[in-house]
Coordinates of all heavy atoms in Angstrom, one line a residue:
I1 N 21.9 87.0 89.8 CA 21.7 87.5 91.2 C 21.8 89.0 91.1 O 22.7 89.6 90.6 CB 22.7 86.9 92.1 CG1 22.7 85.4 92.1 CG2 22.6 87.5 93.5 CD1 23.8 84.7 92.9
E2 N 20.7 89.7 91.6 CA 20.7 91.1 91.7 C 20.6 91.4 93.2 O 19.7 91.0 93.9 CB 19.4 91.7 91.0 CG 19.3 91.5 89.5 CD 18.0 92.0 89.0 OE1 17.8 93.2 89.0 OE2 17.2 91.2 88.5
A3 N 21.6 92.2 93.6 CA 21.7 92.5 95.0 C 21.7 94.1 95.1 O 22.5 94.7 94.4 CB 23.0 92.0 95.7
I4 N 20.8 94.6 96.0 CA 20.7 96.0 96.2 C 21.0 96.2 97.7 O 20.4 95.6 98.6 CB 19.3 96.5 95.9 CG1 19.0 96.2 94.4 CG2 19.2 98.0 96.2 CD1 17.5 96.5 94.1
F5 N 22.0 97.1 97.9 CA 22.5 97.3 99.3 C 23.1 98.7 99.4 O 23.2 99.5 98.5 CB 23.5 96.2 99.7 CG 24.6 96.0 98.7 CD1 25.8 96.7 98.9 CD2 24.5 95.1 97.7 CE1 26.8 96.5 98.0 CE2 25.5 94.9 96.8 CZ 26.7 95.6 96.9
K6 N 23.6 99.0 100.7 CA 24.2 100.3 101.0 C 25.5 100.5 100.2 O 26.3 99.6 100.2 CB 24.4 100.4 102.5 CG 23.1 100.4 103.2 CD 23.3 100.5 104.7 CE 21.9 100.5 105.4 NZ 22.0 100.7 106.8
P7 N 25.7 101.7 99.7 CA 26.9 101.9 98.8 C 28.2 101.7 99.5 O 29.2 101.2 98.9 CB 26.7 103.4 98.5 CG 25.3 103.7 98.6 CD 24.8 102.8 99.7
F8 N 28.3 102.0 100.8 CA 29.6 101.8 101.4 C 30.0 100.3 101.6 O 31.2 100.1 102.0 CB 29.7 102.6 102.8 CG 28.8 102.0 103.8 CD1 29.2 101.0 104.7 CD2 27.5 102.5 104.0 CE1 28.4 100.5 105.7 CE2 26.7 102.0 105.0 CZ 27.1 101.0 105.8
K9 N 29.2 99.4 101.3 CA 29.5 98.0 101.4 C 29.9 97.4 100.1 O 30.2 96.2 100.0 CB 28.2 97.2 101.9 CG 27.9 97.5 103.3 CD 29.0 96.9 104.2 CE 28.6 96.7 105.6 NZ 29.5 95.9 106.3
L10 N 30.0 98.2 99.0 CA 30.4 97.7 97.7 C 31.7 97.0 97.6 O 31.8 95.9 97.1 CB 30.3 98.8 96.7 CG 30.7 98.4 95.2 CD1 29.8 97.3 94.7 CD2 30.7 99.6 94.3
D11 N 32.8 97.6 98.2 CA 34.1 96.9 98.1 C 34.1 95.6 98.8 O 34.7 94.6 98.4 CB 35.1 97.9 98.7 CG 35.5 99.0 97.8 OD1 35.3 98.9 96.6 OD2 35.9 100.1 98.3
E12 N 33.4 95.5 100.0 CA 33.3 94.3 100.7 C 32.6 93.2 99.9 O 33.0 92.0 99.9 CB 32.7 94.5 102.1 CG 33.5 95.3 103.0 CD 32.7 95.6 104.3 OE1 32.2 94.6 104.9 OE2 32.6 96.8 104.7
V13 N 31.5 93.5 99.3 CA 30.8 92.6 98.5 C 31.6 92.1 97.3 O 31.7 91.0 97.0 CB 29.4 93.2 98.0 CG1 28.7 92.3 97.0 CG2 28.5 93.4 99.2
R14 N 32.2 93.1 96.6 CA 33.1 92.7 95.4 C 34.2 91.8 95.8 O 34.4 90.8 95.2 CB 33.7 94.0 94.8 CG 34.5 93.7 93.6 CD 35.2 94.9 93.1 NE 36.0 95.6 94.1 CZ 37.2 95.3 94.5 NH1 37.8 94.2 94.0 NH2 37.8 96.0 95.4
E15 N 34.9 92.0 97.0 CA 35.9 91.1 97.4 C 35.4 89.8 97.8 O 36.0 88.7 97.5 CB 36.6 91.8 98.6 CG 37.5 93.0 98.2 CD 38.0 93.7 99.4 OE1 38.0 93.2 100.6 OE2 38.5 94.9 99.2
A16 N 34.2 89.7 98.5 CA 33.6 88.4 98.9 C 33.3 87.6 97.7 O 33.5 86.4 97.6 CB 32.4 88.7 99.8
L17 N 32.7 88.2 96.6 CA 32.4 87.5 95.4 C 33.6 87.0 94.7 O 33.7 85.9 94.2 CB 31.5 88.4 94.5 CG 30.1 88.6 95.0 CD1 29.4 89.6 94.1 CD2 29.3 87.3 95.0
S18 N 34.7 87.8 94.7 CA 35.9 87.5 94.0 C 36.5 86.3 94.7 O 37.1 85.4 94.0 CB 36.9 88.7 94.1 OG 38.1 88.3 93.4
E19 N 36.5 86.2 96.0 CA 37.0 85.1 96.8 C 36.4 83.7 96.5 O 37.1 82.7 96.6 CB 36.9 85.4 98.3 CG 37.9 86.4 98.8 CD 37.7 86.7 100.3 OE1 36.9 86.0 101.0 OE2 38.3 87.7 100.7
I20 N 35.1 83.8 96.1 CA 34.5 82.5 95.8 C 34.5 82.1 94.3 O 34.0 81.1 93.8 CB 33.0 82.5 96.3 CG1 32.1 83.5 95.5 CG2 32.9 82.6 97.8 CD1 30.7 83.2 95.7
G21 N 35.2 83.0 93.5 CA 35.4 82.7 92.1 C 34.5 83.4 91.1 O 34.5 83.0 89.9
V22 N 33.8 84.4 91.5 CA 32.9 85.2 90.6 C 33.8 86.2 89.9 O 34.4 87.0 90.6 CB 31.8 85.9 91.4 CG1 31.0 86.8 90.4 CG2 30.9 84.8 92.0
S23 N 33.9 86.1 88.6 CA 34.9 86.9 87.9 C 34.4 88.2 87.4 O 35.2 89.1 87.1 CB 35.5 86.1 86.7 OG 34.5 85.7 85.9
G24 N 33.1 88.4 87.2 CA 32.6 89.6 86.6 C 31.3 90.1 87.3 O 30.5 89.2 87.7
L25 N 31.1 91.4 87.3 CA 29.8 91.9 87.9 C 29.6 93.2 87.3 O 30.5 93.9 86.8 CB 29.8 91.9 89.4 CG 31.0 92.6 90.1 CD1 30.7 94.1 90.3 CD2 31.1 91.9 91.5
T26 N 28.3 93.7 87.4 CA 27.9 95.0 86.9 C 27.4 95.8 88.1 O 26.6 95.2 88.9 CB 26.8 94.9 85.8 OG1 27.3 94.1 84.7 CG2 26.4 96.2 85.3
V27 N 27.9 97.0 88.2 CA 27.4 97.8 89.4 C 26.7 99.0 88.8 O 27.1 99.7 87.9 CB 28.7 98.3 90.2 CG1 28.2 99.2 91.3 CG2 29.4 97.1 90.7
T28 N 25.5 99.3 89.5 CA 24.7 100.5 89.1 C 24.4 101.3 90.4 O 24.0 100.7 91.4 CB 23.4 100.0 88.4 OG1 23.7 99.1 87.4 CG2 22.7 101.2 87.8
E29 N 24.5 102.6 90.3 CA 24.1 103.4 91.4 C 22.6 103.6 91.2 O 22.1 104.1 90.2 CB 24.8 104.7 91.4 CG 26.3 104.6 91.8 CD 27.0 106.0 91.8 OE1 26.3 107.0 91.7 OE2 28.2 105.9 91.9
V30 N 21.8 103.3 92.3 CA 20.3 103.4 92.2 C 19.8 104.1 93.4 O 20.5 104.4 94.4 CB 19.7 102.0 92.1 CG1 20.1 101.3 90.8 CG2 20.0 101.1 93.3
K31 N 18.5 104.5 93.3 CA 17.9 105.1 94.5 C 16.5 104.4 94.7 O 15.9 104.0 93.7 CB 17.6 106.6 94.2 CG 18.8 107.4 94.2 CD 18.5 108.9 94.1 CE 19.8 109.7 94.1 NZ 19.5 111.1 94.2
G32 N 16.1 104.3 95.9 CA 14.9 103.6 96.2 C 14.6 103.6 97.7 O 15.3 104.1 98.5
F33 N 13.5 102.9 98.0 CA 13.1 102.7 99.4 C 12.3 101.5 99.5 O 11.6 101.0 98.6 CB 12.4 104.0 100.0 CG 11.0 104.2 99.4 CD1 9.9 103.6 100.0 CD2 10.8 105.0 98.3 CE1 8.6 103.8 99.5 CE2 9.6 105.2 97.8 CZ 8.5 104.6 98.3
G34 N 12.3 100.9 100.7 CA 11.4 99.8 101.0 C 10.6 100.1 102.3 O 10.0 101.2 102.4
R35 N 10.8 99.3 103.3 CA 10.1 99.6 104.6 C 10.6 100.9 105.2 O 10.0 101.5 106.0 CB 10.4 98.5 105.5 CG 9.6 97.2 105.1 CD 9.8 96.2 106.2 NE 9.1 94.9 105.7 CZ 9.4 93.8 106.2 NH1 10.3 93.6 107.2 NH2 8.8 92.7 105.8
Q36 N 11.9 101.3 104.9 CA 12.4 102.5 105.4 C 11.6 103.8 105.1 O 11.6 104.7 105.9 CB 13.8 102.7 104.8 CG 15.0 102.5 105.7 CD 16.3 102.7 105.0 OE1 16.5 102.1 103.9 NE2 17.2 103.4 105.5
K37 N 11.0 103.8 104.0 CA 10.2 105.0 103.5 C 11.0 106.3 103.6 O 10.4 107.3 103.7 CB 9.0 105.1 104.4 CG 8.1 103.9 104.4 CD 7.2 103.8 103.2 CE 6.1 102.8 103.3 NZ 6.5 101.4 103.1
G38 N 12.3 106.3 103.4 CA 13.1 107.5 103.4 C 13.3 108.0 104.8 O 13.1 107.3 105.8
H39 N 13.8 109.2 104.9 CA 14.0 109.8 106.2 C 13.9 111.4 106.1 O 13.9 111.9 105.0 CB 15.3 109.4 106.8 CG 16.5 109.8 106.0 ND1 17.0 109.1 105.0 CD2 17.3 110.9 106.2 CE1 18.0 109.7 104.5 NE2 18.3 110.8 105.2
T40 N 13.9 112.0 107.2 CA 13.8 113.5 107.3 C 15.2 114.1 107.6 O 15.9 113.5 108.4 CB 12.8 114.0 108.3 OG1 11.6 113.4 108.1 CG2 12.7 115.5 108.3
E41 N 15.6 115.1 106.9 CA 16.9 115.7 107.1 C 16.7 117.2 107.4 O 15.7 117.8 106.9 CB 17.9 115.5 106.0 CG 18.4 114.1 105.8 CD 19.5 114.0 104.8 OE1 19.9 115.0 104.3 OE2 19.9 112.8 104.6
L42 N 17.7 117.8 108.0 CA 17.6 119.3 108.3 C 18.7 119.9 107.5 O 19.9 119.5 107.6 CB 17.8 119.5 109.8 CG 17.4 120.9 110.3 CD1 15.9 121.1 110.1 CD2 17.7 120.9 111.8
Y43 N 18.4 120.9 106.7 CA 19.4 121.6 105.9 C 19.2 123.1 106.0 O 18.1 123.6 105.6 CB 19.3 121.2 104.4 CG 20.3 121.9 103.5 CD1 21.7 121.6 103.6 CD2 19.9 122.9 102.6 CE1 22.6 122.3 102.8 CE2 20.8 123.5 101.8 CZ 22.2 123.2 101.9 OH 23.1 123.9 101.1
R44 N 20.1 123.8 106.6 CA 20.0 125.3 106.8 C 18.7 125.7 107.5 O 18.0 126.6 107.0 CB 20.2 126.0 105.5 CG 21.6 125.9 104.9 CD 21.8 126.8 103.7 NE 23.1 126.7 103.2 CZ 23.6 127.4 102.2 NH1 22.9 128.3 101.6 NH2 24.9 127.2 101.9
G45 N 18.4 124.9 108.5 CA 17.2 125.2 109.2 C 15.9 124.7 108.7 O 14.8 124.9 109.3

């Protein structure tokens, strides 16, 4: 199972998997986009 999701949800996902008996997992920081197509930000004008 490969799950890609928002970084701030990692602890909740890890705890949820641990509760059902999943003992090990691998975590990778990745970048990407889907339907979101990114977004626009403002930095120093």
